[in-house]
Amino acid sequence: MRARLVSMALCALITFISASGQGVSREPSSIEITESRELMLQGNYEEAARRFNTISDKHPESPAGEFYGAVTLIWKSYVDAPKLDAGSRAFDAEIERLLAAAIKKAEALKARDTKSQADEIEALYYLGSSYAIRSRLNFYQNHAIPAARFARLSQDFFDALLKLDANYWDGYYASGGIYYRVGLLTDSPIGRAATAMLGAKSLPTGDRERGLNYLKTASEKGSITSVDAKLSLLEIYTFNENRFSDAATLARELQTKYPGNQTFARYLLKAQLGLKNRAEVQKTARQILALVKQGKPNFGAFMKAEAERALAEAGGR
């Protein structure tokens, strides 16, 4: 009897250890992240946020859950935002909280004695990406010096990452955005004055052409950041480069793939208005109004007003 009890206890212990080992891993799978991001890109921000919270709970050592939770809030900030490329400031505090948690976890991963090169690259990716978002938040909050400092930190992390693996295509997205935007600023009279006052070494490096090339690389080859890079190119083509034809092509591609995402519909309208393509503006505006009438999430009164304004500008009714 005693032998039987000992045997049963050992079996139970082995089963417990085996079960504990299963389902507990340091890093989420690419499928977990991709599926959650697809919900976000389709405009289902609440469910995407819930999924990323679950990832944080399941993988407490990984920065992924908090980081992509912050990214989800950035996309959500574009809903009904008067300034399309900037978003609203409604979620800044929560984004900062999530980024702080992601940075802390990425720093712990980077400091781990037993880390592999893959761990090092992952840590650098999340550190560079988190500081890039911090930089952009501070820029739109009119905090220029922290924005510059965070952008420089981000560049340093991505430079280190790409030295380890130049084919880590997702590493080109946030880095490319910084190179382009800093290049845009330093090419201006105010930017040149700031560089002279503060010194080039204290500022991030600006290079518009390099930035565009990096963003194109991420948009074509990135496994996670492809759509984010395409959105950055959309912003640049629409607001900085007056490349409305390129913007319209990108926006149509994304709006077709993600019809539930109001941001792509708005950019398509902007690009078509820039091209002065009245027929296409009217067509897109009426599609948006149909979604508003259906009660599609994120297509409310604000999008109705946007579509009606574009329709009036294009001479429609």
Side-chain angles (χ1 to χ4, degrees):
M1 183 68 176
R2 178 180 291 180
R4 185 180 177 190
L5 288 173
V6 170
S7 176
M8 289 173 64
L10 285 172
C11 286
L13 181 60
I14 291 168
T15 301
F16 174 77
I17 292 171
S18 177
S20 298
Q22 293 171 359
V24 177
S25 60
R26 283 179 174 171
E27 304 306 329
S29 70
S30 59
I31 293 175
E32 286 179 279
I33 293 174
T34 300
E35 288 181 348
S36 302
R37 277 182 52 84
E38 281 297 302
L39 288 167
M40 177 194 80
L41 294 171
Q42 288 289 3
N44 192 344
Y45 305 113
E46 284 71 23
E47 179 59 19
R50 189 191 70 77
R51 295 278 190 98
F52 288 124
N53 282 336
T54 299
I55 287 174
S56 297
D57 292 339
K58 284 176 61 181
H59 309 280
E61 294 184 35
S62 171
E66 285 86 358
F67 175 75
Y68 288 112
V71 172
T72 300
L73 287 178
I74 292 171
W75 280 87
K76 189 176 180 180
S77 79
Y78 297 138
V79 178
D80 298 350
K83 191 173 181 184
L84 179 57
D85 59 329
S88 71
R89 307 270 60 85
F91 307 108
D92 282 6
E94 179 62 8
I95 291 171
E96 284 282 6
R97 184 190 71 78
L98 290 166
L99 290 176
I103 288 169
K104 184 177 180 179
K105 291 182 178 184
E107 287 174 339
L109 176 59
K110 192 173 187 306
R112 192 181 294 158
D113 291 336
T114 58
K115 68 177 181 295
S116 63
Q117 180 171 306
D119 291 334
E120 177 78 8
I121 288 172
E122 182 181 3
L124 291 169
Y125 173 76
Y126 283 114
L127 286 167
S129 299
S130 296
Y131 279 112
I133 294 175
R134 273 190 161 176
S135 174
R136 185 161 180 170
L137 286 180
N138 276 267
F139 177 79
Y140 283 118
Q141 293 166 350
N142 296 315
H143 301 152
I145 292 176
R149 185 172 70 251
F150 291 144
R152 182 57 186 258
L153 272 172
S154 178
Q155 276 189 336
D156 290 344
F157 285 125
F158 279 118
D159 285 348
L161 185 161
L162 294 174
K163 282 180 182 177
L164 289 174
D165 185 358
N167 294 330
Y168 193 90
W169 307 120
D170 289 314
Y172 288 89
Y173 158 58
S175 181
I178 291 172
Y179 276 115
Y180 180 84
R181 294 179 190 285
V182 174
L184 198 66
L185 288 170
T186 52
D187 283 346
S188 68
I190 293 176
R192 286 191 289 272
T195 302
M197 288 174 58
L198 299 174
K201 289 185 178 180
S202 65
L203 297 173
T205 303
D207 187 331
R208 290 172 65 175
E209 184 177 355
R210 183 177 182 178
L212 281 174
N213 286 335
Y214 273 25
L215 287 169
K216 288 174 185 174
T217 296
S219 73
E220 293 167 3
K221 299 181 179 181
S223 59
I224 297 292
T225 62
S226 175
V227 174
D228 304 82
K230 287 176 180 177
L231 178 62
S232 287
L233 289 171
L234 260 179
E235 293 175 4
I236 289 166
Y237 293 159
T238 303
F239 297 114
N240 305 119
E241 303 287 332
N242 293 323
R243 292 171 56 175
F244 295 113
S245 180
D246 291 330
T249 299
L250 260 182
R252 173 63 72 189
E253 172 198 333
L254 293 167
Q255 190 263 347
T256 300
K257 186 174 181 179
Y258 301 107
N261 192 314
Q262 83 299 327
T263 298
F264 300 135
R266 288 179 70 190
Y267 268 109
L268 185 57
L269 271 183
K270 288 279 187 187
Q272 290 168 344
L273 285 166
L275 289 169
K276 304 187 187 318
N277 191 330
R278 293 173 60 186
E280 288 299 311
V281 170
Q282 291 173 11
K283 178 181 175 182
T284 300
R286 289 182 177 124
Q287 288 174 342
I288 291 171
L289 291 172
L291 293 171
V292 172
K293 189 174 182 180
Q294 293 167 21
K296 190 80 172 177
N298 306 318
F299 287 81
F302 188 90
M303 283 299 292
K304 182 174 184 288
E306 288 278 287
E308 288 175 342
R309 189 180 302 115
L311 200 57
E313 192 171 330
R317 292 184 178 181

